[in-house]
């Protein structure tokens, strides 16, 4: 039996925290459930999931469909697309069966790349390696989740670059049905016609568009993510802010560029394993953010309290607090009209 290898290369960076990563996880379960009842896919499809942030890791190795169970997606810091592509190519070298004189190898692999941000690493050597050796022997479909992706960059490694414009629950649901339909169509194509070019399903009824990567694209920074540490439990959490669209009635033109989305507990050990050391101290002024969440780890009322070290932690009703990052002790005070700078996540 000739396998149809399907790889999902999924951005699990900080900006994906919250609803986006939850929808991807839900979508992956839906894809597997629907493919398992398709006789063509069940016969040919093998699935793997690779997650990438600052570093890449295999979340699920290449597995036949009926044995495959979607993993839990962790979160890391950074969007190292170059490192992710290198990792993928190494996986292809070790896992794909090539055609020989004695046996026919696997069908051309399909790679679905999901990302919501611009690369934070130097991807030039990985792109060159991909284009020289792998591009013509793989089907890479690159999906921009939202409009914060430089699609011209994705166009350097794929002829199939699409943008999912809306990221609400219904849009994600329709998008993953489209992914499933594309895999089913390709499974039929390889089985009945020995054609292993990817057969992308129609995008009718989905806010998913093919991107002309020859045209310049405008990149807007839509999110700010802060890495916090709970004063009580010492666990890490992320606080996410989204860019607020000001309307004509908004008289406040100097405060509140980013509005609170939520705060989310994370696995600090996995976050560290998937992140790269900060090469520069990116910061944002507190005046540019609106909203303070409660701590998602212990419930302390203030989940964004800024220490002199530039990091954030939570504070409850105690008169004195101790920063779990640097150990500095003190009492809570206001930031003043000038605000203070706080360290941002890696992206």
């Amino acid at each position: 039996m000739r396998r149809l290898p399907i790889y999902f290369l999924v951005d699990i960076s900080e900006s994906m925290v919250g609803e986006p990563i939850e929808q991807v996880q839900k979508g992956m379960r839906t894809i597997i459930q629907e493919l398992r009842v398709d006789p063509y896919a069940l016969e040919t499809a093998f699935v793997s999931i690779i997650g990438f942030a600052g570093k890449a890791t295999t979340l699920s190795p290449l597995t036949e469909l009926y044995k495959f169970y979607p993993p839990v997606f962790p979160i890391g810091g950074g969007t190292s697309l170059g490192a992710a592509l290198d990792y993928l190519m190494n996986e292809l070298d070790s896992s794909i069966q090539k055609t020989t004189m004695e046996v026919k190898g696997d069908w051309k692999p399909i790679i679905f790349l999901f990302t919501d941000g611009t690369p934070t690493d130097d991807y030039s050597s990985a792109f060159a390696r991909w284009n020289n050796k792998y591009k013509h022997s793989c089907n890479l479909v690159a999906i921009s989740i939202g409009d914060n992706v430089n699609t011209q960059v994705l166009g350097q490694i794929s002829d199939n670059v699409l943008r999912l414009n809306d990221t609400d629950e219904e849009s994600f649901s329709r998008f993953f049905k489209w992914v499933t339909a594309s895999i089913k169509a390709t499974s039929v194509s390889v089985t009945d016609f020995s054609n292993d070019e990817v057969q992308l399903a129609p995008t009718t009824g989905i806010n998913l568009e093919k991107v002309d990567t020859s045209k310049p694209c405008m990149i807007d920074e839509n999110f700010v993510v802060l890495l916090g540490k709970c004063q009580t439990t010492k666990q890490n959490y992320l606080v996410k802010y989204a860019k607020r669209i000001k309307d004509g009635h908004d008289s406040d033109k100097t405060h509140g560029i980013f509005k609170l989305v939520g705060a989310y507990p994370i696995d600090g050990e996995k976050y560290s394993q998937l992140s790269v050391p900060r090469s520069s101290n990116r910061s944002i002024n507190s005046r540019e953010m609106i909203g303070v969440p409660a701590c998602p780890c212990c419930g302390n009322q203030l989940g964004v309290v800024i220490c002199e070290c530039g990091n954030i932690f939570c504070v409850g009703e105690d008169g004195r607090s101790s920063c779990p990052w640097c150990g500095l002790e003190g009492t809570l005070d206001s930031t003043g009209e000038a605000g203070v700078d706080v360290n941002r996540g890696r992206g």
Side-chain angles (χ1 to χ4, degrees):
M1 180 190 69
R2 299 183 69 181
R3 304 183 303 178
L4 176 61
I6 302 165
Y7 288 85
F8 292 93
L9 190 60
V10 182
D11 182 347
I12 52 173
S13 62
E14 293 159 324
S15 57
M16 288 287 287
V17 74
E19 186 174 2
I21 202 68
E22 291 171 4
Q23 292 299 332
V24 170
Q25 190 149 315
K26 180 180 177 181
M28 290 306 308
R29 289 196 297 266
T30 300
I31 289 173
I32 298 304
Q33 289 169 358
E34 294 194 10
L35 291 180
R36 279 180 175 161
V37 297
D38 182 86
Y40 285 95
L42 195 59
E43 182 179 345
T44 60
F46 280 60
V47 178
S48 174
I49 299 178
I50 297 171
F52 72 96
K55 300 175 183 176
T57 188
T58 297
L59 301 178
S60 296
L62 194 65
T63 305
E64 52 195 312
L65 196 55
Y66 79 94
K67 292 182 179 179
F68 186 89
Y69 292 93
V72 174
F73 287 83
I75 292 290
T79 309
S80 297
L81 180 56
L85 201 59
D86 269 326
Y87 189 96
L88 169 68
M89 290 183 281
N90 293 339
E91 286 292 302
L92 293 173
D93 287 343
S94 63
S95 301
I96 299 302
Q97 175 66 51
K98 294 181 171 58
T99 297
T100 65
M101 295 292 291
E102 293 77 24
V103 64
K104 287 188 175 181
D106 293 330
W107 297 108
K108 185 184 291 188
I110 304 173
I111 298 101
F112 288 98
L113 165 63
F114 303 156
T115 183
D116 76 335
T118 299
T120 56
D121 65 343
D122 182 357
Y123 51 79
S124 55
S125 62
F127 278 26
R129 179 186 172 196
W130 172 264
N131 289 328
N132 289 334
K133 186 177 178 183
Y134 299 86
K135 184 175 182 178
H136 299 294
S137 58
C138 299
N139 293 303
L140 174 58
V141 183
I143 309 295
S144 163
I145 300 176
D147 58 1
N148 199 36
V149 179
N150 188 334
T151 50
Q152 284 191 310
V153 171
L154 298 181
Q156 296 178 38
I157 54 174
S158 175
D159 297 324
N160 287 308
V161 178
L162 298 97
R163 181 188 294 113
L164 180 63
N165 291 304
D166 293 333
T167 55
D168 57 273
E169 184 174 358
E170 179 63 24
S171 296
F172 267 115
S173 176
R174 293 182 180 182
F175 166 67
F176 282 109
K177 288 180 180 179
W178 173 84
V179 173
T180 305
S182 299
I183 295 172
K184 288 180 177 180
T186 307
S187 297
V188 171
S189 181
V190 298
T191 303
D192 289 351
F193 306 106
S194 296
N195 175 13
D196 59 3
E197 294 300 321
V198 66
Q199 306 297 313
L200 296 181
T203 57
T204 307
I206 314 172
N207 203 351
L208 181 70
E209 62 176 351
K210 182 80 178 284
V211 178
D212 182 354
T213 58
S214 66
K215 295 181 179 179
C217 58
M218 296 294 293
I219 306 301
D220 199 4
E221 192 167 33
N222 292 325
F223 298 102
V224 167
V225 182
L226 310 178
L227 175 63
K229 184 176 286 189
C230 175
Q231 185 180 185
T232 305
T233 67
K234 305 302 186 288
Q235 291 179 297
N236 289 118
Y237 57 93
L238 293 176
V239 182
K240 185 175 184 178
Y241 292 83
K243 178 164 286 187
R244 185 179 68 175
I245 305 301
K246 294 178 182 285
D247 58 35
H249 302 289
D250 190 348
S251 61
D252 185 357
K253 301 299 182 183
T254 59
H255 290 70
I257 296 176
F258 294 91
K259 188 175 182 179
L260 177 68
V261 175
Y264 311 91
I266 59 171
D267 185 320
E269 183 177 353
K270 290 183 178 178
Y271 175 87
S272 179
Q273 292 171 353
L274 287 164
S275 303
V276 291
R278 296 181 183 180
S279 57
S280 61
N281 290 323
R282 298 181 68 209
S283 64
I284 184 170
N285 192 276
S286 59
R287 295 173 73 249
E288 298 179 68
M289 299 178 292
I290 286 180
V292 176
C295 176
C297 300
C298 73
N300 271 343
Q301 184 177 4
L302 300 176
V304 178
V305 173
I306 307 166
C307 178
E308 290 182 11
C309 68
N311 293 307
I312 69 167
F313 63 102
C314 69
V315 168
E317 297 179 355
D318 293 340
R320 291 186 65 82
S321 299
S322 175
C323 174
W325 295 98
C326 68
L328 182 67
E329 295 186 358
T331 56
L332 191 64
D333 197 2
S334 64
T335 59
E337 289 193 8
V340 294
D341 290 339
V342 56
N343 293 335
R344 294 179 57 167
R346 299 170 179 86

